[in-house]
């Protein structure tokens, strides 16, 4: 059987792993390193660079170097999150026809799915170089709190990269698989996952090989990038006070300040002070200006402590949803590079009154879990392992007065399916509209609109007579499907779907053709 890889497609770094003799192993990238920066750069000469080569371009070619694309996957241009990050990135964004955010490189629009696909294609290439043969199948991880649009966009990215996705799996769930697989444990664990862009908390029960997610919560816009930005804000404000110059306006300087901030932040996980030294950051007619500042761990904690504090209400909510008290948690697993910050470890230890597990590599554990999942899916695991995940957001429909009626509650074990009867309100009504959303707010407009489904071609009948059963399904990838049947005729009810976001099958096909991936690898089957 050909090799199946597990991919952790991270906001800042990505990692790929496979299972060898029952043991997960990280596949090094083409430079021999275990993780690859999730950065794509488009050079003046028309070359496309990925990973460290792209990252090295960031300072000289900031407008055409795209980082943290995961934050934009499946997002609308005018969403508050995108409007906020837009001010802090050196590359340009715009809106696609359907309102989705797109990246503009050299006046050319590129979808976030295509940028992500370039990272995935690079990881695929690394695996192929490692195995010496083609790799076409993968299990890919996403933040537990990713909604349907973000999951679908991730899956589409993989298809563009020529990968058939066996399963989309939640990052914390994946980490818990890698943590608990070889241990005969019966425990309830908390996985605290803070990477470059997202934060998730997942509570997981592990019982004789059954991994059962009890509850998950989080924020897809809270991660290491925000910590970096707080340092950047501090440095730029200080520089403005001293020199009256706004470095936000200077893309080259901004990129250097960003990189230096991230580097200092990392260092401060191991030292108590770090010097930020940026000579010749800018100049005017009279002189060159420099940044030279000492940042202490204490100052960093003051600058970014609010971000750490923001993770705790999510933990409290997840505990409440799982009907657990903190003292019922046996072990805390830290995942994601940002979790190395000592303040996070300290606050977690205070909250749970227990030290988190230290010996796991937070950069690699997610990819490792993904390749274990691929092995489970292929039936290669000798010991019985069952993974029961949950949906992070409630699924429902818009009802009278713009209200949101939940059909499947958050934290329901997936896959799951619920059926609701619909009928007509007028005589001879041929069409009924169902607006499907995800979220927790009582009003539809405050939730994420997934799609509008029109039940069409309903048989002519008096009001209230047609009986149409609409099934709402969340599959094992966490993706939503809607189908309907007319119970009075027993026929499948036709549906017209207007998705609120994402690539249409035609657009996806076009991109795949453009990406010159052989058609058998890029076969498009049915879309959710
Ligand atoms: P991930 O997406 O899991 O690779 O996490 C990447 C994030 O972790 C980035 O924001 C990094 O700056 C951050 N990170 C990596 N190493 C450290 C460290 N030693 N201390 C604090 N943050 C770190």
């Amino acid at each position: 059987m050909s090799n199946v890889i597990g991919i952790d497609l991270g906001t800042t770094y990505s990692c790929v792993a496979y299972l060898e003799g029952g043991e997960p192993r990280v596949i090094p990238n083409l430079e021999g390193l275990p993780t690859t920066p999730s950065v794509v750069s488009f050079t003046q000469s028309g070359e496309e660079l990925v990973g460290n080569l792209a990252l090295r371009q960031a300072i000289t070619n900031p407008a055409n170097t795209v980082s943290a694309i995961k934050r934009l996957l499946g997002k609308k241009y005018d969403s508050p999150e995108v409007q906020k990050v837009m001010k802090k990135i050196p590359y340009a964004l715009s809106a696609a026809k359907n309102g989705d955010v797109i990246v503009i490189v050299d006046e050319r629009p590129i979808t976030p799915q295509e940028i992500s696909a370039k990272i995935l294609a690079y990881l695929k290439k690394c695996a192929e170089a490692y195995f010496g043969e083609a790799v076409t199948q993968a299990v890919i991880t996403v933040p537990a709190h990713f909604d349907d649009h973000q999951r679908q966009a991730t899956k589409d990215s993989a298809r563009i990269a020529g990968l058939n996705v066996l399963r989309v799996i939640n990052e914390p769930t994946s980490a818990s698989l890698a943590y608990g697989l070889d241990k005969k444990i019966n425990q309830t664990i908390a996985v605290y996952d803070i990477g470059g862009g997202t934060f998730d908390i997942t509570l997981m029960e592990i019982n004789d090989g059954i991994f059962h997610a009890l509850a998950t919560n989080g924020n897809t816009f809270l991660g290491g990038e925000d910590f970096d930005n707080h340092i950047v804000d501090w440095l730029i404000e200080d520089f403005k006070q001293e020199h009256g110059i706004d470095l936000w306006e200077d893309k080259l300087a901004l990129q250097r300040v960003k990189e230096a901030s991230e580097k200092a932040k990392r260092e401060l996980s191991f030292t108590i002070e770090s010097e930020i030294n940026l000579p010749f950051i800018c100049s005017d007619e009279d002189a060159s200006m420099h940044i030279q500042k000492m940042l202490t761990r204490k100052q960093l904690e003051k600058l970014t402590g609010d971000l750490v504090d923001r993770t705790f209400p999510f933990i409290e909510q997840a505990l409440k949803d799982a009907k657990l008290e903190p003292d019922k948690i046996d072990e805390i697993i830290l995942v994601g590079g940002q979790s190395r910050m000592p303040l996070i470890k300290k606050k977690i230890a205070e909250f749970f009154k227990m030290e988190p597990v230290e010996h796991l590599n937070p950069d690699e554990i997610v990819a490792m879990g993904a390749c274990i999942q691929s092995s489970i899916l292929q039936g290669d695991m000798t010991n019985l392992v069952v993974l029961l995940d949950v949906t992070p957001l409630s699924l429902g429909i818009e009802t009278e007065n713009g209200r949101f009626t939940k059909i499947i509650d958050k934290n329901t074990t997936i896959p799951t399916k619920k059926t609701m009867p619909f009928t007509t309100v007028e005589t001879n009504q041929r069409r009924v509209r169902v607006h499907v959303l995800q979220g927790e707010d009582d009003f539809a407009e405050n939730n994420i609109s997934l799609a509008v489904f029109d039940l069409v071609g309903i048989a002519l009948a008096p009001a209230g007579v047609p009986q149409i059963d609409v099934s709402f399904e969340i599959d094992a990838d966490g993706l939503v499907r809607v189908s309907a049947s007319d119970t009075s005729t027993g026929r499948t009810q036709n549906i017209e779907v207007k998705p609120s976001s994402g690539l249409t099958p035609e657009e996806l096909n076009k991109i795949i053709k453009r990406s010159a991936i052989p058609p058998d690898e890029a076969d498009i089957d049915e879309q959710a």
Side-chain angles (χ1 to χ4, degrees):
M1 187 177 288
S2 65
N3 289 297
V4 183
I5 50 176
I7 298 179
D8 170 10
L9 178 64
T11 308
T12 41
Y13 285 89
S14 293
C15 184
V16 52
Y18 80 110
L19 212 66
E20 185 183 70
E23 286 292 318
R25 299 213 187 289
V26 167
I27 299 173
N29 65 17
L30 299 178
E31 294 162 84
L33 301 167
T35 58
T36 298
S38 305
V39 182
V40 179
S41 187
F42 300 83
T43 69
Q44 295 306 321
S45 58
E47 237 188 323
E48 289 176 8
L49 304 172
V50 178
N52 282 303
L53 290 178
L55 190 60
R56 274 175 227 138
Q57 291 272 319
I59 286 178
T60 50
N61 186 20
N64 299 319
T65 300
V66 184
S67 57
I69 193 66
K70 187 170 163 180
R71 298 195 123 185
L72 305 179
L73 266 182
K75 285 276 165 198
K76 293 281 174 210
Y77 175 75
D78 56 11
S79 68
E81 296 97 336
V82 170
Q83 289 301 310
K84 196 170 155 206
V85 291
M86 226 171 108
K87 298 190 185 97
K88 312 223 157 167
I89 52 176
Y91 52 91
L93 301 178
S94 185
K97 261 198 218 120
N98 64 357
D100 283 2
V101 62
I102 41 171
V103 178
I104 305 294
V105 174
D106 267 344
E107 294 176 13
R108 184 165 60 101
I110 310 184
T111 61
Q113 290 91 323
E114 286 170 273
I115 308 261
S116 285
K118 293 184 195 301
I119 301 163
L120 291 169
Y122 175 81
L123 299 174
K124 177 178 185 280
K125 196 165 141 190
C126 297
E128 288 173 340
Y130 187 81
F131 296 127
E133 61 181 39
V135 173
T136 55
Q137 309 212 79
V139 167
I140 188 158
T141 64
V142 293
H145 221 65
F146 253 21
D147 64 34
D148 190 72
H149 293 318
Q150 293 168 304
R151 283 167 197 266
Q152 190 60 57
T154 305
K155 218 171 165 180
D156 288 348
S157 306
R159 285 164 181 239
I160 297 167
L163 285 166
N164 175 32
V165 181
L166 295 188
R167 181 65 49 85
V168 175
I169 169 176
N170 292 336
E171 287 160 9
T173 310
S174 186
S176 66
L177 257 186
Y179 162 76
L181 187 73
D182 57 341
K183 303 173 194 75
K184 284 261 164 292
I185 51 171
N186 291 323
Q187 284 187 339
T188 304
I189 64 168
V191 184
Y192 181 102
D193 180 1
I194 186 153
T198 58
F199 165 71
D200 282 317
I201 177 78
T202 295
L203 306 175
M204 195 93 186
E205 198 173 61
I206 309 176
N207 250 323
D208 296 326
I210 299 175
F211 291 69
H212 187 183
L214 302 174
T216 190
N217 215 308
N219 185 333
T220 54
F221 261 82
L222 175 57
E225 289 265 324
D226 301 297
F227 288 69
D228 304 346
N229 285 334
H230 276 34
I231 308 172
V232 171
D233 286 342
W234 171 70
L235 285 171
I236 289 185
E237 191 48 43
D238 189 76
F239 193 82
K240 205 167 165 184
Q241 295 283 329
E242 193 177 333
H243 301 284
I245 294 173
D246 186 1
L247 292 179
W248 284 113
E249 306 293 327
D250 180 342
K251 283 189 173 145
L252 292 185
L254 179 60
Q255 187 57 35
R256 286 181 66 199
V257 174
K258 256 176 143 45
E259 281 189 16
S261 301
E262 200 253 357
K263 186 166 162 276
K265 177 192 76 174
R266 281 172 181 256
E267 274 175 21
L268 289 171
S269 291
F270 307 103
T271 60
I272 53 161
E273 55 180 29
S274 169
E275 188 176 305
I276 298 171
N277 204 346
L278 293 163
F280 304 101
I281 193 72
C282 71
S283 54
D284 59 18
E285 309 86 63
D286 303 326
S288 295
M289 281 157 265
H290 322 284
I291 291 179
Q292 190 176 22
K293 276 192 83 81
M294 196 59 94
L295 180 63
T296 64
R297 185 186 286 178
K298 229 186 180 135
Q299 262 172 311
L300 173 71
E301 291 179 350
K302 221 166 124 194
L303 287 173
T304 60
D306 63 312
L307 297 171
V308 179
D309 292 343
R310 274 176 57 196
T311 63
F312 284 86
F314 297 109
I315 303 178
E316 281 160 3
Q317 186 62 47
L319 284 164
K320 198 168 151 204
D321 291 343
K323 298 184 178 57
L324 286 174
E325 292 297 324
D327 63 356
K328 291 286 176 283
I329 301 296
D330 299 306
E331 212 74 85
I332 303 131
I333 314 296
L334 298 181
V335 180
Q338 188 59 48
S339 71
R340 289 198 176 92
M341 186 185 196
L343 182 68
I344 290 183
K345 293 185 193 174
K346 182 170 157 256
K347 291 214 165 173
I348 284 284
E350 279 168 9
F351 183 86
F352 286 102
K353 300 195 174 49
M354 180 191 353
E355 294 297 326
V357 174
E358 283 278 0
H359 61 274
L360 302 167
N361 184 332
D363 300 328
E364 297 176 0
I365 189 166
V366 171
M368 287 182 167
C371 70
I372 294 171
Q373 173 67 356
S374 75
S375 184
I376 298 171
L377 290 172
Q378 292 177 100
D380 291 349
M381 295 304 291
T382 45
N383 42 345
L384 179 72
V385 180
V386 181
L387 190 59
L388 300 170
D389 218 329
V390 289
T391 177
L393 296 159
S394 299
L395 181 75
I397 54 168
E398 182 170 348
T399 47
E400 313 87 78
N401 304 324
R403 295 195 78 88
F404 177 60
T405 302
K406 288 178 186 169
I407 296 170
I408 296 173
D409 282 330
K410 68 173 174 177
N411 294 320
T412 301
T413 303
I414 54 170
T416 183
K417 187 173 175 176
K418 276 241 177 103
T419 300
M420 262 186 90
F422 283 77
T423 189
T424 50
V425 288
E426 285 165 23
T427 294
N428 295 339
Q429 187 178 336
R430 301 302 303 266
R431 170 185 287 262
V432 170
R433 178 154 285 196
V434 186
H435 183 195
V436 180
L437 306 107
Q438 263 184 328
E440 311 309 324
D441 201 273
D442 289 341
F443 288 93
E445 63 177 4
N446 298 331
N447 293 305
I448 301 150
S449 167
L450 297 192
V452 171
F453 295 85
D454 276 334
L455 310 174
V456 293
I458 299 169
L460 297 175
V465 170
Q467 277 292 309
I468 300 156
D469 276 350
V470 180
S471 297
F472 300 86
E473 200 177 338
I474 303 179
D475 69 14
D477 292 336
L479 288 167
V480 177
R481 288 167 202 276
V482 176
S483 57
S485 68
D486 186 331
T487 48
S488 48
T489 63
R491 283 207 317 258
T492 304
Q493 173 66 50
N494 289 330
I495 295 183
E496 280 174 6
V497 185
K498 288 185 206 75
S500 309
S501 172
L503 300 169
T504 63
E506 295 75 38
E507 285 167 336
L508 186 56
N509 259 325
K510 229 186 198 168
I511 292 172
I512 289 171
K513 284 209 182 94
R514 219 168 43 214
S515 310
I517 294 161
D520 57 327
E521 288 180 28
D523 205 17
I524 308 296
D525 49 35
E526 88 292 349
Q527 291 280 300

